[in-house]
Amino acid sequence: GAGVSQTPSNKVTEKGKYVELRCDPISGHTALYWYRQSLGQGPEFLIYFQGTGAADDSGLPNDRFFAVRPEGSVSTLKIQRTERGDSAVYLCASSPGRGGSYNEQFFGPGTRLTVL
Amino acid sequence: GQNIDQPTEMTATEGAIVQINCTYQTSGFNGLFWYQQHAGEAPTFLSYNVLDGLEEKGRFSSFLSRSKGYSYLLLKELQMKDSASYLCAVPGGGFKTIFGAGTRLFVKA
């Protein structure tokens, strides 16, 4: 079956612009995570959704970052007034069931965001 | 808070055995994950340990000691395709997962 997909695969934008990154999880997975990964580092947690609700958004670095999952499947990560420090690979992952921390996460290929 | 330490890089020879260590500090332990990540690709799940001891899965085994805050990933009969980063991760409270920076493994012929 299809895995987690993310679009676009690459996004280049200018400082101060707004970007949206999309994640399409595995069908039936209720848990969805967003991470960002800088070169040479592990994924850094941003936000976790269980269904439509953001159950844990403690990893969002500031109020320029926002994510939605209106119908409990596709999710969009939105970044306002982008800064050069936002450049990273943004990874999405999904897993079945609740209590996501205990479940294997299935990762998408990521969106490489470059802010010039 | 949570903290994870792994070696930055390791090099091993094809056909050999390599052990990648991970030490962690966490408030409230709920298991430890290992993921593999090839360059430019997404992490993929390798193992999850919640009880002490060794769990074997083919060429890969993972060990956990909760009292020592220590885990290792053991890779046997190394193949060139095993060259990748290996990420140690623990649940970090709430629903987050905390990942280490990863160990880059280079397998040479």
Side-chain angles (χ1 to χ4, degrees):
Chain A
V4 177
S5 63
Q6 293 186 244
T7 54
S9 56
N10 279 282
K11 177 69 177 179
V12 180
T13 191
E14 292 179 343
K15 181 176 176 297
K17 299 290 188 183
Y18 168 82
V19 296
E20 289 189 351
L21 311 179
R22 175 188 168 110
C23 171
D24 207 331
I26 292 173
S27 178
H29 281 192
T30 55
L32 185 145
Y33 304 78
W34 282 100
Y35 296 87
R36 71 177 174 183
Q37 186 173 27
S38 299
L39 194 63
Q41 299 297 313
E44 173 194 5
F45 171 84
L46 295 177
I47 188 169
Y48 163 74
F49 286 90
Q50 180 59 34
T52 61
D56 186 343
D57 64 357
S58 61
L60 294 178
N62 52 59
D63 61 6
R64 296 186 298 105
F65 288 74
F66 188 71
V68 295
R69 195 185 185 197
E71 298 178 357
S73 56
V74 171
S75 176
T76 304
L77 178 67
K78 308 180 181 191
I79 310 175
Q80 298 177 321
R81 305 183 303 279
T82 51
E83 299 177 356
R84 292 194 179 88
D86 299 334
S87 297
V89 175
Y90 288 80
L91 294 166
C92 175
S94 69
S95 69
R98 294 189 61 86
S101 293
Y102 314 109
N103 291 318
E104 170 187 354
Q105 296 177 38
F106 297 81
F107 283 82
T111 294
R112 180 175 298 279
L113 175 67
T114 303
V115 182
L116 301 176
Chain B
Q2 290 80 29
N3 191 45
I4 296 175
D5 287 309
Q6 316 179 226
T8 304
E9 287 186 0
M10 298 182 72
T11 300
T13 305
E14 193 175 18
I17 299 173
V18 71
Q19 177 175 313
I20 301 174
N21 296 326
C22 169
T23 57
Y24 63 89
Q25 294 172 319
T26 182
S27 52
F29 180 76
N30 287 303
L32 185 142
F33 294 87
W34 284 96
Y35 282 80
Q36 179 191 59
Q37 186 175 27
H38 285 98
E41 298 183 11
T44 55
F45 172 83
L46 290 177
S47 66
Y48 173 61
N49 293 63
V50 66
L51 299 176
D52 290 350
L54 185 69
E55 294 204 6
E56 299 186 64
K57 193 187 295 186
R59 294 190 299 114
F60 291 12
S61 302
S62 54
F63 172 83
L64 176 67
S65 168
R66 288 173 295 172
S67 62
K68 295 180 179 175
Y70 168 69
S71 173
Y72 67 73
L73 183 69
L74 194 70
L75 290 72
K76 304 175 191 174
E77 301 169 17
L78 279 174
Q79 302 175 9
M80 299 299 287
K81 68 178 182 179
D82 297 330
S83 293
S85 286
Y86 291 86
L87 302 164
C88 176
V90 295
F95 295 95
K96 66 178 63 173
T97 301
I98 306 299
F99 282 83
T103 298
R104 291 180 66 190
L105 174 66
F106 297 94
V107 180
K108 58 182 183 179

